[in-house]
Structures are given as C-alpha cells and as structure tokens.
Amino acid sequence: MGNFRGHALPGTFFFVMGLWWSIKSILKYVCKKQKRTCYLGSKALFHRVDMLEGIVIVIMAITGIAGEQFIAGGPYLTLYKEGQWNQLPGWHHCTMYFFFGLLGVANILCFTISSLPVSLTKLMLSNALFVEAFIFYNHTHGREMLDIFVHQLLVLVIFLTALVTFMEFFTRNNILLELLRSSLIILQGTWFWQIGFVLYPPSGSPAWDLTDHSNSMFLTICFCWHYALAYAIIGINYAFVTWLVKWRLRRLCPSEVGLLKNDEREQESEEEV
Amino acid sequence: MGNFRGHALPGTFFFVMGLWWSIKSILKYVCKKQKRTCYLGSKALFHRVDMLEGIVIVIMAITGIAGEQFIAGGPYLTLYKEGQWNQLPGWHHCTMYFFFGLLGVANILCFTISSLPVSLTKLMLSNALFVEAFIFYNHTHGREMLDIFVHQLLVLVIFLTALVTFMEFFTRNNILLELLRSSLIILQGTWFWQIGFVLYPPSGSPAWDLTDHSNSMFLTICFCWHYALAYAIIGINYAFVTWLVKWRLRRLCPSEVGLLKNDEREQESEEEV
Amino acid sequence: MGNFRGHALPGTFFFVMGLWWSIKSILKYVCKKQKRTCYLGSKALFHRVDMLEGIVIVIMAITGIAGEQFIAGGPYLTLYKEGQWNQLPGWHHCTMYFFFGLLGVANILCFTISSLPVSLTKLMLSNALFVEAFIFYNHTHGREMLDIFVHQLLVLVIFLTALVTFMEFFTRNNILLELLRSSLIILQGTWFWQIGFVLYPPSGSPAWDLTDHSNSMFLTICFCWHYALAYAIIGINYAFVTWLVKWRLRRLCPSEVGLLKNDEREQESEEEV
Amino acid sequence: MGNFRGHALPGTFFFVMGLWWSIKSILKYVCKKQKRTCYLGSKALFHRVDMLEGIVIVIMAITGIAGEQFIAGGPYLTLYKEGQWNQLPGWHHCTMYFFFGLLGVANILCFTISSLPVSLTKLMLSNALFVEAFIFYNHTHGREMLDIFVHQLLVLVIFLTALVTFMEFFTRNNILLELLRSSLIILQGTWFWQIGFVLYPPSGSPAWDLTDHSNSMFLTICFCWHYALAYAIIGINYAFVTWLVKWRLRRLCPSEVGLLKNDEREQESEEEV
C-alpha cells in the first residue's frame, strides 16, 4: 500500500474506532453513575453492541487482507516467486490485519460462550497492537531518514497503546485508562493520515525532503499537536455525551433529575473521603 | 549444538512443555468452575502431577547437560584448554539447562516441604527464562546478520515469557496470564525449529542467504505466524478440554448437569455485575 | 531561548512547583494523621488551593508561550517562512508549555465539575511530562557532545518524573511517592539552572569545553549532588511543616496535645502489626 | 580505587550485607509463622537491629568516603586542580558511598521518629542503587572492551536490584522478593570480586586480554554461575535458619512442638484453598 490511500484507509479505520470506543466508555461511565435513578443503558444492549463490534472488526480485517492481496499488482497469495520473496510489505500488512481479525473473533466468542473471561478481548487487543508495533518496527529497513522517523513515531504510539491496553487487562473499569487508550488510537489514526501526507503528498503538493533533519524536528511537535487534538476530541465527546444523557433523562423521568443532582453530589463527597 | 538436531530437541521440549502447561491450566480452571457440583480434580492429584513435572524437568536438564558435554567432540567438562576457552557455546547451553534444572528442584521441594511458598516455582521459572534470555543475548557475537536476527527474536520471546511469568508471581490464578505464558512457550518451541530450518536446512534444501535483508523481513512475519499458530493450538486445547470435562461429568453424574448449566449462568451474571 | 535566562526561568518555575507540591503533600499527610484530635486542614480549603494552582499554571503556560513567540527576534506565530521552518526550537518550547497549560485546565475543571474523576490531574501531569521528555529527546540533533549529554540527563529526570506520576495515578495518597515526585521536580528545576551555567556561562566565566569527556563525567556526579540537594530540601521541609503544625496545634487546643501524642503512638503500633 | 583491594572491599561489604539481609528476612518469616505457639522474635529486638544496621551503614559510608579521599595519592577533597577535574573516578565512588550513607540515616530516622513511614528505607535503598547504577553506567568512558563489559554486567545487576527493591516498596512483606533482593546483592558482592580478579589479577597471575571476545563470552556464563552460587547460599541459609529456630523451640517449649506441626499443616491447607 505504498500510496496516499493506503495510509488514509487504516488511518480512518483507527480514527473511527478510537472515536467509537471513547463514546462507548463515556456512555458506560455516565450510565453507571446514574443507574440508581433511571433506567437507560441496559447490559444486554451493551453486549449486543460488543458482538456487533466484533463482527465489524472481522469484516474490516478480511476486507483489508483481500484488498492487500487482490489489488491490481498485488501478490495474489503468492509468497515466493522466481527465487525471491514476493511483495513482503503487503504480506506484513496482511499479518497485522489478521491479528486484528483474531481480536474480532475473540470479541464474538467472549459474548457468545459464557465461560470465557471477558478480559480476553483486552488481551487480544493488546496482542494485536504489540504484533503491529513489532512488524512496523521491522518494516522500514533501508528507507530514507524521515520515512523511518515517522514510522518510529507510529511504532511508539502503537507500543504505548498496547501497554495501556495490557494495563487495562489488569485493572478493569478505569474510565481514564479507557479514554487514554481511545485517545492513543485516535492519535494513531490521524498519524497515519500525516504519514500519507508526508510520504505521498496528494497531487499538487511538492514532495518533502526526506533527508532534512529540520523536517523531523517539525514532525516531533506535529506529533504532539495530533495528540492534543485527540485530547480535544475526547473532551468534546465527554461534554456532548454527558449533556445528551442528562437531556434524555430529563425528558424520560423529569421528576428524578433533581434527586439525581443531589445524588451525584453525595457520591462525590463519598469518594473524597 | 550447531546443527539441526541441536535446535529441534530443545524446540520439541519447549513445545511439549507449553502444550502440557496449557492443558493443566485449562483443566484447573474448568475443574474449579465446576467443583461445586461434582468431584473431578483432586488437589492431591494436582500436587503429585506438579512433583512429577519437577522430576521430569530435572531429568531433562541432566540429559541436556550430559548430551552437551559428552557428545562426540564435546568439551568433556574441560573449560580451559591449550591457552583458550574450550567450546564456550556448549558451556552456554549447559548453564541454561542448569537453571532449568534448578526450576525442577524448586518444583520438587515446594511440594514436599510444606513451609515453602508455592509461588517460588513461578519465581524460579521466571529466573531460568531471564538467564536464558541473557545468555542468548550474549551468544551470537560475530555471526551473520540473519543468524543474529533469528536469535534476537528468540531473546525477545524468552524475555517476554520471563516478564509474564514474573507477573504471574504477583497475580496468582489468572487463567489468561497462564495461557499467555503457555502460548509464548509454544512459540519458543516452534521458533527453535524455525531457527534449525533456517541455519541448518535438513539435507536436500538449499541454504538461506544469511546476509539478505528480505529474508529478515520474511522471518519477521513468519514469527507472527508462529505466534498465531500457538494461539490456535491453545484455542483447540481449550475447546477439547472443556468438552472432555463436560462429557465425563455427564457420564459420572448425569443428574447434576442440568443444575450445572444453571449454575454457570448464575456465576456469569454475578461476574458481570 | 538559547541563553542563560531561558534556562533559569523554567528552572525557577519547576523549583517553586516542586517545593510547593512537597509542602502541600506533607501538610495533607500531617493533617490527616491528626484530624481526629483537632480541626486544622479543611477539605474545602485544599480544593480552593488546587484550583488556584490550576489558574497559576495556566497563566504561567500562557506567559511562556507568549514570551517564546513575541520576544525580540521570536517567530511571531509564523511556522513556515521563506521555504523553511521558522525557529523550530521556540515552537518546541511552546508545545511543552501548551501541554502544561492543559494540565492547568484539567486542574480547574476537576475541581469545578464534580463528575470528573480527581486522578485526571495526575494523568494530565504525567502526560505533560512524557510529552516534555519526548520533545527534549528529539531536541538536540546535531549539537555538541556535552550539550546533548546534559539534555539527556534532563530527559532522564523528566521521564522518571512522568513514570512516578503515572504510578501515583494508580496508587492514590502514597505520601512517599508524592515526595519522590516533588524531589524529581525540584531536581529538574535545579538541573535547568545547571544547564544554563554550562551552556551559557553568565558574563565573566569562561565557556565549558563541550567536547571534553571529563566534563561529562563531572556532570554525572553533579547530577547526583543536585538530587541529594533535592532530598535535603524535602527533609527540611518535612521537619519544618511538622513542627509548624504541632506548634499551631499547641496554641489552638493545648489540652489535646498530650492526647495526640498517645494517639500517635497507638497508630504506630497498629501499623506495625 | 583502581586496584584489586578497591574492588574486594565493596565486594565484601555487599556480600556480607546480602547474607545478613537474607538471614534477617528468613528469621522474620519463620518467626511470624510460629508466633502463635511460642515467643521468640520480639518486635522491639528487630527494631533495635534495624537501627544498628543503619548505624553500621553510615559508618561504612563515612569510612568509604574518607578512604577514597585521604588515601595516599587521593584527591584530598580537591575537585578542580590546575585547570582540570581532579581524580573524578574517586569522586564517583564517594558519591555512591554518600547515597548509601543517606540510606543509613533514613534507617536510623525511621526507627527513632515514629511518624515516618517505614517503607522510606526501601525507597532510599532503591534510590541508592539507582544512583549507583547511573554512576557506573557513565563510569567507563574510553576503556577497553572487557572492562566496559564487566561493568555493564555490574550495572545490570545493580539496576535489577534497584527495581526489585522498588517493587518491595509497593508490596510489603513478600519473603520471596526480599530473598530475591538479597541474592542479587550477594551476586553484586561476588561480581565485584570477579571484576577485581579480571582487571587487576593478584600478583602472580597473568593479565586477561581485555580485547578478546571469547573472554566476554566466558564472563557471560561466569556471571550466571555467580548467580547460581548466590541461590545456593540463600538455600543453605534458609535450611539452617529454619532448623535453628525449630531446635531452639524444642528446647524452650518442647510440649508445644507437636501442636506446632499440626498448626503448620493447617495453615498450609488454608493457603492452598
């Protein structure tokens, strides 16, 4: 996928995924806080959504693998041809997609077979990310300095996401860890776009000088700005979802909203102790 | 042990070990879940099995050391000969075997002397793996690029296994961590085989080009495929063991299976809360 | 900010911050220990102080950014000029200030909006420090050996502070972790001063030889002495605050001080068990 | 201290320290297990021993610093002489001793002032070790390959000890972690001796070839054998201390030994559940 679209596609996927996970986490958190007063988020609903998520991930993974393999000029499932390896970068991408596919399968299994522990999905996500980081780390042999640098930053963010997910595997239901993971996934998504713009500028733009160190120094802070953007998105999400839940609550059970407010304050003061 | 057989042997050992540990972990997990309804896995049985495991490991370690030392052309316990070190790689392997032997001894002691804490075995396993990773890290000085690369991947998987085992030392009875460790051990086993195939292709195959970077890029994804294979093996194991336990239960105490099912569902809903 | 003042300013900021945080932590700890006997530290007061802290940090961050941008010869918000990046080091510093500004905003939000978890401030501090370490790590391309070395030590202390803060995010109210963080922040502050003295000796002093390795070996131990100094400051702080609290207690409610002493001894013996 | 004695002295100190800590840990563990039946280890006694330990450490540190400074040809407290740094390696060693001195002071303070948390000693030990590792890491600039290698292994073991001690800071009273720390301290002690033998062979032995890589491969496994030795020492210690406590118990209160045995078995079966 050595072109702009090949980086924009996974970028969009990760961006949407991060956005969706942040919304889900916030919704769960807000609903749990207010479950004593009004019925809003049912457990069964969340379960069905998780399973749907799994199905979507599996479909995306299969699409990704098929796209890599059967695109015009792709490897067409041939690994070794005429005495040399056949389009290894494409196979690298397929392997990454495959491990995300495994995550989707684990998601589906966890919410169909009751005896499986739920944290399996976290472990599989962490695994898929570690594998992705590992492959990208060995992906850029012999390329230009700036090409290697942007991929190193990608490896950094993927590795950190994998670490945070692995921590989530141990400490369940920590809203801040979940949002941290979401923000890192969003960062990965927008960074894929950035890589696309740097390495394959869309028609019209001049190419970047891949050996200029001032470019790498700019991309260092650019990476941080992407991160700040991810934070802003999460923040807006939080404000919006909280407002939405309160607005729906007021419509559904207006008499209890006053109670709810008191309730919140009590909870808060309990936590402070 | 610079030949194919010298890599296939430890590979087989680790593969069998990983397979066995995964079966044991799953069996313990499934039995614990159903202990309320029917007697199946006795603690005493598991203890005897653990001790047997220790004895087997000690025997394997002694065999390994003896094989390294007294094979035709081996060092025959001579460390320093004619003004230089005598066959240091062999001594490296012996040292690794020795630390696995210590693990076996710890296993035996832990289940004979009651005052010793049980997590000692986990610590010793973690230790043996850290030592193995440390020695392999300093093992490949002055070799070819691909030789170093495959050993680096070996060090990576050993180091990760040691880390996961060290985490197990702190959090006891986490089924997923145990299975993660088993899968990494299986990966180590199959990777030993892969190293054998790469460095010492069995008679008939052409040798790999040890300086070609496309080979290292292929082995990167090959490593991931091995890992996916380990996951598949664990998954099949899980399905098989669960089915076996349920089938035996149905034969032994058929009247309670219905009860069991309800019980499982209750447990599940408790955990969800 | 390539001059002495540009390093002295953030140095002073971090030094004051570390000092203030150490005082706050000790005060909280001492007050909590003695809350059963006499009213001294009110929760509402601490909340207001935390919010004030947030406002101060935001103001400092804005000042820092404005100073970097609109100083004589600064970039004046122009990122790209005449075919090349415009004063990237200044933009690097602005990005760091911006993330500390985010910390201030989080501080303010956490203590105004009650539904936000309090540990968000810890996460944001950890984030700001990680970003700072990341930027400083990519900050010194192509400079002299000693320049790189002193900045590497800076990255080390910032990274460690970030790690400790991240641990605090998981384990709340551990006084020693809080003091460890404070001491590392003080170290960062004094180290900024040291960097200023090494790279831009104030008028009159001869310049350091930036390529001499014996200088780097001296700065290694100098770094440790700074750390010892930070420890001494924390120790004196602890003694002073404890004495102050006891002295005020004696004046406010003299009859209970005798009781207090017994109480302390009891607590101690409880903890020992 | 660039001679054999300069490495043998700290080696002996760390060896004795590790031995003593392992004995103390085992004694505490065994006494705690049997406190229900017979009075043996009093808390006050352990406190006095800890304080004595602190005093000994302070004395050792002062001796070390004085020895470094006022030995024939030492720096005599002069840091900068004739336009260059004066004997920096000696100042490096003094700084390390100073941080161990701080550990001793913390030990004394912790058991005199009751309001200080006890885990402060663990934090200070961890700190002293991190500082030691940091200084040794920057200690060997421009030396021979083997000289650097043996010091790298030293840094490795010191860093691991510091990490384990930092973990102890979080999880109190884990006997295995304490013994792991003790074994690593013993390893550090014996490794100091090994460095002495390698770099400054006592009179009569031929010098090692500091550029020969087979020497570094031998020292790799030699390091592991030292570790195995540390394990053996800890094991013998454990057996001896346990036997001693039981023997003294039999003499002091023979009627309760039978009871004790049953008691142990019960405890064990409780822990298994």
Side-chain angles (χ1 to χ4, degrees):
Chain A
M1 298 211 292
N3 53 25
F4 181 76
R5 208 180 301 156
H7 286 86
L9 230 76
T12 311
F13 168 69
F14 280 110
F15 184 82
V16 170
M17 214 64 206
L19 206 65
W20 159 240
W21 278 337
S22 74
I23 292 173
K24 200 174 71 174
S25 298
I26 297 166
L27 210 60
K28 263 185 186 165
Y29 177 71
V30 175
C31 287
K32 192 183 274 172
K33 266 210 154 170
Q34 305 183 339
K35 77 179 162 203
R36 265 184 283 176
T37 44
C38 197
Y39 182 88
L40 196 95
S42 80
K43 202 145 278 175
L45 186 75
F46 273 120
H47 264 217
R48 246 173 268 158
V49 164
D50 278 334
M51 205 184 292
L52 196 75
E53 204 183 290
I55 293 166
V56 169
I57 292 174
V58 169
I59 291 170
M60 299 289 281
I62 290 172
T63 316
I65 293 174
E68 282 289 342
Q69 292 288 342
F70 303 112
I71 212 167
Y76 287 96
L77 297 178
T78 314
L79 182 59
Y80 197 77
K81 203 167 71 179
E82 296 160 11
Q84 58 186 4
W85 301 108
N86 186 25
Q87 302 195 11
L88 280 178
W91 283 98
H92 277 203
H93 300 141
C94 285
T95 308
M96 298 181 202
Y97 287 130
F98 177 71
F99 274 85
F100 278 97
L102 281 187
L103 162 68
V105 170
N107 247 11
I108 297 170
L109 286 179
C110 263
F111 296 101
T112 14
I113 302 169
S114 59
S115 72
L116 285 172
V118 182
S119 48
L120 178 62
T121 57
K122 289 277 181 291
L123 188 65
M124 293 306 284
L125 176 56
S126 163
N127 249 313
L129 289 164
F130 274 126
V131 167
E132 198 193 348
F134 170 73
I135 290 178
F136 268 124
Y137 183 79
N138 291 293
H139 193 57
T140 53
H141 179 80
R143 300 202 192 167
E144 295 280 6
M145 184 276 295
L146 202 68
D147 195 343
I148 291 174
F149 185 71
V150 289
H151 279 93
Q152 273 175 342
L153 295 187
L154 191 65
V155 168
L156 178 70
V157 63
I158 298 170
F159 182 73
L160 289 178
T161 323
L163 267 189
V164 169
T165 314
F166 197 72
M167 278 174 202
E168 268 190 81
F169 169 68
F170 284 103
T171 59
R172 285 169 68 180
N173 293 327
N174 185 329
I175 172 77
L176 287 177
L177 265 190
E178 287 179 20
L179 290 183
L180 183 62
R181 168 169 54 91
S182 306
S183 71
L184 287 168
I185 296 267
I186 290 175
L187 170 59
Q188 191 185 337
T190 60
W191 193 249
F192 261 114
W193 275 85
Q194 183 72 46
I195 292 179
F197 275 106
V198 171
L199 300 185
Y200 312 98
S203 54
S205 325
W208 291 52
D209 181 358
L210 295 183
T211 55
D212 186 0
H213 269 286
S214 71
N215 278 336
S216 83
M217 287 189 85
F218 165 68
L219 285 169
T220 298
I221 40 173
C222 187
F223 187 72
C224 298
W225 298 345
H226 278 259
Y227 191 39
L229 179 75
Y231 259 67
I233 290 171
I234 300 274
I236 292 166
N237 244 358
Y238 187 89
F240 178 71
V241 170
T242 313
W243 171 81
L244 198 80
V245 168
K246 283 203 177 144
W247 177 76
R248 283 216 56 186
L249 267 183
R250 199 172 302 129
R251 257 196 18 192
L252 288 173
C253 36
S255 62
E256 310 206 19
V257 171
L259 254 161
L260 177 74
K261 276 184 182 162
N262 295 334
D263 194 57
E264 257 180 18
R265 266 180 214 144
E266 273 173 50
Q267 271 197 329
E268 177 208 3
S269 56
E270 279 165 26
E271 280 176 16
E272 274 168 4
V273 175
Chain B
M1 298 210 293
N3 53 26
F4 182 76
R5 209 180 300 155
H7 286 86
L9 232 76
T12 311
F13 169 69
F14 279 111
F15 184 83
V16 170
M17 214 64 206
L19 206 64
W20 159 239
W21 278 337
S22 74
I23 291 173
K24 199 174 73 175
S25 298
I26 298 167
L27 209 60
K28 262 184 186 164
Y29 177 70
V30 174
C31 287
K32 191 183 273 171
K33 264 208 156 172
Q34 305 182 340
K35 77 179 162 200
R36 265 184 284 177
T37 44
C38 198
Y39 182 86
L40 196 95
S42 80
K43 203 146 277 174
L45 186 75
F46 272 120
H47 264 216
R48 245 172 270 158
V49 164
D50 278 335
M51 205 184 293
L52 196 76
E53 203 184 291
I55 293 167
V56 169
I57 292 174
V58 169
I59 290 170
M60 300 288 280
I62 291 173
T63 317
I65 292 174
E68 281 289 342
Q69 292 289 343
F70 303 113
I71 212 167
Y76 286 95
L77 296 177
T78 315
L79 181 59
Y80 197 77
K81 204 168 69 180
E82 295 159 13
Q84 59 185 5
W85 303 107
N86 185 24
Q87 301 195 16
L88 280 178
W91 283 97
H92 277 203
H93 299 143
C94 285
T95 308
M96 298 182 202
Y97 286 130
F98 177 70
F99 273 85
F100 277 97
L102 280 187
L103 161 68
V105 170
N107 246 12
I108 296 169
L109 286 179
C110 263
F111 296 102
T112 16
I113 303 169
S114 59
S115 72
L116 286 172
V118 182
S119 47
L120 177 63
T121 58
K122 289 277 182 290
L123 189 64
M124 293 307 284
L125 176 57
S126 162
N127 248 313
L129 289 163
F130 274 125
V131 167
E132 197 192 348
F134 170 73
I135 291 179
F136 268 126
Y137 183 78
N138 291 293
H139 193 57
T140 54
H141 180 79
R143 300 201 193 168
E144 294 280 4
M145 185 274 296
L146 203 68
D147 195 343
I148 291 173
F149 185 71
V150 290
H151 279 93
Q152 274 175 341
L153 294 188
L154 191 65
V155 169
L156 178 71
V157 63
I158 298 171
F159 182 73
L160 289 178
T161 322
L163 267 189
V164 168
T165 313
F166 197 72
M167 278 175 203
E168 267 189 81
F169 170 67
F170 284 103
T171 60
R172 283 169 69 180
N173 292 329
N174 186 328
I175 172 77
L176 287 178
L177 265 191
E178 287 179 18
L179 291 183
L180 184 62
R181 167 168 56 92
S182 306
S183 70
L184 287 168
I185 296 267
I186 290 175
L187 170 60
Q188 191 185 338
T190 60
W191 193 248
F192 261 114
W193 276 84
Q194 182 71 47
I195 293 179
F197 275 107
V198 170
L199 300 186
Y200 312 98
S203 55
S205 324
W208 290 53
D209 181 358
L210 294 183
T211 55
D212 186 1
H213 268 287
S214 72
N215 278 336
S216 83
M217 288 189 85
F218 166 68
L219 285 168
T220 300
I221 41 172
C222 187
F223 187 71
C224 298
W225 297 345
H226 279 259
Y227 191 39
L229 180 75
Y231 258 67
I233 290 170
I234 300 274
I236 292 166
N237 245 359
Y238 188 89
F240 179 70
V241 171
T242 314
W243 170 81
L244 198 79
V245 168
K246 284 204 177 143
W247 177 76
R248 283 214 57 184
L249 268 183
R250 202 172 298 129
R251 258 197 16 191
L252 288 173
C253 35
S255 63
E256 310 206 19
V257 173
L259 255 160
L260 177 75
K261 277 186 183 162
N262 293 334
D263 194 57
E264 257 182 18
R265 267 183 212 139
E266 272 172 51
Q267 271 197 329
E268 176 206 5
S269 57
E270 278 163 27
E271 280 175 15
E272 273 168 5
V273 175
Chain C
M1 297 210 292
N3 53 25
F4 182 77
R5 207 180 303 155
H7 286 86
L9 231 77
T12 311
F13 169 69
F14 279 111
F15 185 83
V16 170
M17 214 64 207
L19 207 64
W20 159 239
W21 279 336
S22 74
I23 293 172
K24 200 174 71 174
S25 298
I26 297 167
L27 210 59
K28 262 184 188 166
Y29 177 72
V30 175
C31 288
K32 193 183 274 172
K33 266 208 156 171
Q34 306 182 339
K35 75 178 164 204
R36 266 184 283 176
T37 45
C38 197
Y39 182 87
L40 196 96
S42 80
K43 202 145 280 172
L45 186 76
F46 272 120
H47 265 217
R48 246 174 268 158
V49 164
D50 279 333
M51 206 183 292
L52 196 76
E53 201 184 292
I55 292 166
V56 169
I57 292 173
V58 168
I59 291 169
M60 300 289 280
I62 290 172
T63 317
I65 292 173
E68 282 288 344
Q69 291 289 341
F70 302 112
I71 211 167
Y76 286 96
L77 296 178
T78 316
L79 181 59
Y80 197 78
K81 202 168 72 181
E82 295 158 14
Q84 59 186 4
W85 302 108
N86 185 26
Q87 302 194 13
L88 281 178
W91 283 97
H92 277 203
H93 300 142
C94 286
T95 309
M96 298 182 203
Y97 287 129
F98 177 71
F99 273 85
F100 278 96
L102 280 187
L103 162 67
V105 171
N107 247 12
I108 297 169
L109 286 179
C110 263
F111 297 100
T112 16
I113 302 169
S114 60
S115 72
L116 284 173
V118 181
S119 48
L120 178 62
T121 57
K122 289 277 181 292
L123 189 64
M124 293 306 284
L125 175 57
S126 162
N127 248 314
L129 289 164
F130 275 125
V131 166
E132 198 193 349
F134 170 74
I135 290 178
F136 268 125
Y137 183 79
N138 292 292
H139 193 56
T140 54
H141 180 79
R143 301 202 191 166
E144 295 282 4
M145 185 276 295
L146 202 68
D147 195 344
I148 292 174
F149 185 72
V150 290
H151 279 93
Q152 272 175 343
L153 295 188
L154 191 65
V155 168
L156 178 70
V157 64
I158 299 171
F159 182 73
L160 288 178
T161 323
L163 267 189
V164 169
T165 314
F166 198 72
M167 277 174 203
E168 267 190 82
F169 169 68
F170 284 104
T171 59
R172 284 170 68 181
N173 291 328
N174 186 329
I175 171 77
L176 287 177
L177 265 189
E178 285 178 20
L179 290 183
L180 183 62
R181 168 168 55 91
S182 306
S183 71
L184 287 167
I185 296 267
I186 290 175
L187 170 60
Q188 191 184 337
T190 60
W191 193 247
F192 261 114
W193 275 85
Q194 182 71 48
I195 293 179
F197 275 106
V198 171
L199 299 185
Y200 312 97
S203 55
S205 324
W208 291 51
D209 181 359
L210 295 183
T211 55
D212 185 1
H213 269 286
S214 72
N215 279 335
S216 82
M217 287 188 87
F218 166 68
L219 285 168
T220 298
I221 40 173
C222 187
F223 187 71
C224 298
W225 298 344
H226 279 259
Y227 191 39
L229 179 75
Y231 259 67
I233 290 170
I234 300 274
I236 291 165
N237 245 356
Y238 187 88
F240 179 70
V241 171
T242 313
W243 170 81
L244 197 80
V245 168
K246 284 204 178 143
W247 178 76
R248 284 216 56 185
L249 267 183
R250 201 171 300 131
R251 257 196 19 190
L252 289 173
C253 35
S255 62
E256 310 207 19
V257 171
L259 253 161
L260 177 73
K261 275 185 183 162
N262 295 333
D263 195 57
E264 257 181 17
R265 268 184 212 139
E266 273 174 50
Q267 270 196 332
E268 176 205 4
S269 57
E270 278 164 26
E271 278 177 17
E272 272 169 7
V273 175
Chain D
M1 297 211 291
N3 53 24
F4 181 76
R5 209 179 303 155
H7 286 84
L9 231 76
T12 310
F13 169 69
F14 279 112
F15 185 82
V16 170
M17 214 63 207
L19 206 65
W20 158 241
W21 278 337
S22 74
I23 292 173
K24 199 174 72 175
S25 299
I26 296 167
L27 210 60
K28 260 186 189 164
Y29 177 71
V30 175
C31 288
K32 192 183 273 171
K33 265 206 155 173
Q34 305 182 340
K35 76 179 162 201
R36 266 184 282 176
T37 44
C38 197
Y39 182 85
L40 196 95
S42 80
K43 202 145 279 173
L45 185 76
F46 273 121
H47 264 216
R48 247 173 269 158
V49 165
D50 278 335
M51 205 183 292
L52 196 77
E53 203 184 290
I55 292 167
V56 169
I57 292 174
V58 169
I59 291 169
M60 300 288 280
I62 290 172
T63 316
I65 292 174
E68 282 289 343
Q69 291 289 342
F70 303 112
I71 211 167
Y76 286 95
L77 296 178
T78 315
L79 181 59
Y80 196 77
K81 204 168 70 181
E82 295 159 13
Q84 58 187 6
W85 302 108
N86 185 24
Q87 302 195 15
L88 280 178
W91 283 98
H92 277 204
H93 299 143
C94 286
T95 309
M96 297 182 202
Y97 287 128
F98 178 70
F99 273 86
F100 277 97
L102 280 188
L103 161 67
V105 171
N107 247 12
I108 296 169
L109 286 179
C110 263
F111 296 101
T112 16
I113 303 169
S114 59
S115 71
L116 285 173
V118 181
S119 48
L120 178 63
T121 57
K122 288 278 180 292
L123 189 64
M124 293 307 284
L125 175 57
S126 162
N127 248 314
L129 289 163
F130 274 126
V131 166
E132 196 193 350
F134 170 73
I135 290 178
F136 269 126
Y137 183 79
N138 292 294
H139 193 56
T140 55
H141 179 80
R143 300 203 192 165
E144 296 280 5
M145 185 275 294
L146 203 67
D147 195 343
I148 292 174
F149 185 72
V150 290
H151 279 93
Q152 273 176 342
L153 295 188
L154 191 65
V155 168
L156 178 71
V157 63
I158 298 170
F159 182 73
L160 288 178
T161 322
L163 267 190
V164 169
T165 313
F166 197 71
M167 277 175 204
E168 267 189 82
F169 170 67
F170 284 104
T171 59
R172 283 170 68 180
N173 290 329
N174 186 329
I175 171 78
L176 288 177
L177 265 190
E178 287 179 20
L179 291 183
L180 183 62
R181 168 169 54 91
S182 306
S183 70
L184 287 168
I185 296 269
I186 290 176
L187 170 60
Q188 190 185 336
T190 60
W191 192 247
F192 260 114
W193 276 84
Q194 182 71 48
I195 293 179
F197 275 107
V198 170
L199 300 185
Y200 312 98
S203 55
S205 324
W208 291 51
D209 180 359
L210 295 183
T211 56
D212 186 0
H213 268 286
S214 72
N215 278 336
S216 83
M217 287 188 86
F218 166 69
L219 285 169
T220 300
I221 41 173
C222 187
F223 187 71
C224 298
W225 297 345
H226 278 259
Y227 191 38
L229 180 74
Y231 258 67
I233 290 170
I234 300 274
I236 291 166
N237 246 356
Y238 187 89
F240 179 70
V241 171
T242 314
W243 170 81
L244 199 78
V245 168
K246 284 204 177 142
W247 177 77
R248 284 214 56 183
L249 268 183
R250 201 172 300 129
R251 257 195 20 190
L252 289 172
C253 36
S255 62
E256 309 206 21
V257 172
L259 254 160
L260 177 74
K261 275 186 182 162
N262 295 334
D263 194 56
E264 258 183 17
R265 265 182 214 139
E266 272 172 50
Q267 270 198 332
E268 176 206 5
S269 57
E270 276 164 28
E271 278 176 18
E272 272 168 5
V273 175

